[in-house]
């Protein structure tokens, strides 16, 4: 690459929001379009429960969740939903927790340092890789992250999960669901947050339970105490009111209405098929650009394992490879800050625990043209960094 700095691009993204969470609002979003009749009302009022139930029902419709699966709104975003599932369901059988990036490693820490169930195994891989999931014993309970939010590596398939498994699966799907197909028959507890692919407000998590998950919760009493926000049983049975809009603690009705608005937008553009297609098209734009840019490479070497949401890229080439570690770490931070200062692109630096990198969110609420306009600015900024 030449040290000559190209001319500053002239076209700017109309919506320069490329954060991997909370992500860009859906096209056409505005605050004044949100329904307000539930504001200032109890979440246990008829209108409050109806809106919470509508959010659940619309999620089921768009995602194609089986009729015999339960869907609940739970506290503390995706993190709360995953931990609720782990704390309620683990301990009955041996368990394997598989991780290949930051958040999966948090679930490992929960299991190793907090829950400490008997027969605990962990399976890990470096950023950009997926561990050999076929090594997991078919009798184990399994905790895994469908799509590595901070590495851009996703599972290529669910062939490694047995149809006749003895254990249950707990699937952190937060940066995959709505953008990638879920194999519901292989999934017992699936979790996500509103603030990822749907671009809604955070704070609440979604917990989707299969009949097998329900059976596990009702038949198993964990050895460890459960905090109030994790308690989903009443009289030894699953409290099904939680899955009809009666939340464990007080939800934000403002966040709920924002999520409903995103779901209604998704339905208006063609539902799940179009959500998948939008993310695929967006990711292809960025992936093609990475392939054509000699000083970048995708963090995930195997195309079958590359995400279509948070696409992660690392630097390469003589200039970058000649830098010391501190200078290497400064390159993506500097690029991201330069474009933030210009209002061109926000929040696309790589995750703090990941290798020095850029991470561009390509989920369904992002527009193709905004991505096309962002990429020349990154080229310009990198040339400025290299030129000193």
């Amino acid at each position: 690459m030449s040290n000559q700095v190209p001319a500053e691009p002239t076209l700017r993204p109309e919506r320069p929001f490329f954060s991997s969470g909370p992500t860009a609002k859906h096209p056409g979003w505005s605050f004044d379009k949100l329904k307000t009749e539930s504001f200032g009302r109890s979440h246990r009022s008829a209108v409050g429960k109806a809106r919470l139930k509508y959010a659940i029902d619309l999620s089921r419709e768009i995602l194609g969740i089986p009729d015999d699966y339960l869907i609940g709104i739970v506290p503390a975003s995706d993190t709360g939903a995953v931990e609720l599932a782990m704390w309620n369901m683990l301990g009955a059988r041996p368990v394997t927790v598989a991780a290949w990036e930051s958040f999966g490693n948090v679930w490992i820490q929960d299991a190793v340092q907090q829950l400490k169930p008997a027969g605990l195994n962990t399976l890990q891989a470096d950023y950009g890789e997926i561990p050999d999931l076929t090594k997991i014993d078919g009798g184990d309970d399994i905790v895994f992250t469908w799509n590595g939010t901070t590495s851009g590596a996703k599972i290529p398939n669910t062939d490694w999960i047995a149809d006749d498994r003895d254990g249950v699966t707990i699937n952190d799907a937060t940066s995959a669901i709505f953008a990638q197909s879920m194999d519901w028959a292989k999934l017992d507890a699936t979790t996500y947050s509103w603030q990822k692919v749907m671009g809604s407000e955070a704070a609440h998590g979604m917990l989707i339970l299969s009949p097998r998950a329900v059976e596990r919760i009702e038949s198993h009493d964990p050895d460890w105490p459960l905090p109030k926000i994790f308690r989903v049983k009443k009289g030894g049975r699953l409290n099904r009111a939680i899955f009809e809009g009666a939340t464990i603690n007080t939800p934000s009705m403002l966040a709920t209405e924002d999520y409903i608005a995103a779901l209604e937008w998704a339905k208006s553009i063609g539902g799940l098929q179009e959500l998948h297609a939008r993310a695929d098209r967006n990711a292809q734009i960025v992936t093609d650009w990475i392939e054509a840019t000699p000083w970048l490479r995708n963090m995930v070497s195997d195309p079958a394992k590359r995400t279509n949401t948070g696409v992660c890229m690392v630097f390469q080439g003589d200039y970058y490879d000649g830098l010391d570690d501190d200078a290497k770490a400064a390159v993506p931070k500097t690029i991201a800050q330069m474009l933030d200062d210009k209002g061109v692109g926000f929040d696309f630096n790589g995750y703090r625990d990941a290798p020095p990198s850029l991470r561009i969110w390509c989920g369904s609420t992002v527009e193709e043209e905004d991505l096309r306009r962002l990429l020349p600015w990154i080229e310009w900024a990198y040339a400025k960094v290299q030129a000193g």
Side-chain angles (χ1 to χ4, degrees):
M1 178 178 176
S2 169
N3 288 337
Q4 183 177 358
V5 179
E8 184 175 303
T10 56
L11 290 176
R12 294 166 172 263
E14 291 187 6
R15 301 194 308 149
F17 307 109
F18 303 104
S19 163
S20 291
T23 64
K25 295 295 188 187
H26 63 268
W29 180 94
S30 68
F31 184 79
D32 59 7
K33 292 181 180 179
L34 300 186
K35 301 287 180 61
T36 60
E37 64 266 27
S38 64
F39 297 177
R41 298 292 307 275
S42 169
H43 61 295
R44 303 193 191 284
S45 67
V47 66
K49 286 186 69 174
R51 296 304 282 175
L52 291 163
K53 182 63 162 55
Y54 179 53
I56 289 171
D57 291 345
L58 203 50
S59 300
R60 182 187 301 278
E61 177 185 348
I62 291 172
L63 288 169
I65 298 169
D67 291 342
D68 58 349
Y69 281 48
L70 302 181
I71 308 168
I73 297 170
V74 299
S77 195
D78 178 64
T79 300
V82 174
E83 292 189 329
L84 187 156
M86 291 178 65
W87 285 58
N88 276 279
M89 297 171 65
L90 298 185
R93 303 185 63 84
V95 56
T96 294
V97 186
W100 46 93
E101 49 84 59
S102 303
F103 291 103
N105 284 318
V106 170
W107 315 142
I108 284 181
Q109 292 169 26
D110 270 9
V112 171
Q113 299 175 13
Q114 304 298 326
L115 301 181
K116 304 175 183 178
L120 174 62
N121 303 292
T122 62
L123 196 60
Q124 295 175 271
D126 291 335
Y127 280 81
E129 302 295 333
I130 299 285
D132 184 357
L133 300 172
T134 63
K135 291 182 177 179
I136 299 175
D137 190 294
D140 284 10
D141 293 336
I142 306 169
V143 182
F144 72 100
T145 304
W146 189 288
N147 184 98
T149 303
T150 63
S151 72
K154 68 177 180 67
I155 59 170
N157 55 59
T158 56
D159 295 348
W160 50 279
I161 301 175
D163 291 325
D164 59 350
R165 61 193 177 279
D166 295 317
V168 294
T169 56
I170 298 176
N171 164 37
D172 173 3
T174 197
S175 61
I177 202 165
F178 291 107
Q180 299 166 24
S181 295
M182 297 288 106
D183 185 358
W184 294 112
K186 300 287 186 77
L187 307 176
D188 296 312
T190 299
T191 69
Y192 67 93
S193 168
W194 300 347
Q195 52 109 348
K196 288 292 185 179
V197 177
M198 298 311 293
S200 304
E201 292 304 294
H204 305 303
M206 300 296 279
L207 176 64
I208 304 167
L209 299 178
S210 74
R212 297 177 79 254
V214 173
E215 192 279 332
R216 167 62 63 82
I217 291 171
E218 292 188 337
S219 65
H220 172 60
D221 291 314
D223 293 334
W224 41 80
L226 292 176
K228 180 180 184 297
I229 62 170
F230 288 172
R231 296 174 198 160
V232 294
K233 287 205 290 192
K234 191 174 183 179
R237 307 285 290 178
L238 184 70
N239 181 2
R240 291 182 180 248
I242 295 170
F243 302 88
E244 296 291 329
T247 53
I248 296 171
N249 70 336
T250 306
S252 164
M253 297 310 300
L254 177 58
T256 300
E257 293 295 345
D258 192 61
Y259 177 53
I260 288 172
L263 292 169
E264 291 179 336
W265 165 78
K267 188 174 180 179
S268 74
I269 64 169
L272 194 61
Q273 182 177 359
E274 181 58 19
L275 290 175
H276 288 184
R278 286 177 65 91
D280 287 345
R281 292 192 297 265
N282 287 342
Q284 195 64 53
I285 289 168
V286 176
T287 299
D288 289 347
W289 173 72
I290 294 170
E291 295 295 325
T293 303
W295 41 271
L296 286 174
R297 61 177 175 82
N298 199 301
M299 192 180 291
V300 182
S301 59
D302 183 350
K305 300 174 182 175
R306 290 175 181 168
T307 185
N308 63 350
T309 55
V311 178
C312 299
M313 63 209 75
V314 292
F315 295 82
Q316 62 182 9
D318 292 343
Y319 164 73
Y320 183 79
D321 291 342
L323 300 175
D324 63 33
D325 288 346
D326 289 343
K328 286 179 177 177
V331 169
K333 292 180 183 178
T334 302
I335 291 173
Q337 190 61 57
M338 288 171 65
L339 300 194
D340 186 291
D341 291 344
K342 288 184 171 291
V344 168
F346 299 139
D347 310 320
F348 64 93
N349 190 19
Y351 191 70
R352 62 180 180 270
D353 293 334
S357 55
L358 297 175
R359 178 175 57 159
I360 300 176
W361 186 256
C362 297
S364 309
T365 60
V366 176
E367 298 278 43
E368 292 178 58
E369 182 59 25
D370 287 332
L371 287 167
R372 296 186 192 279
R373 293 184 180 191
L374 172 68
L375 302 180
W377 282 96
I378 296 176
E379 295 175 0
W380 171 81
Y382 184 70
K384 291 273 284 187
V385 169
Q386 186 176 358

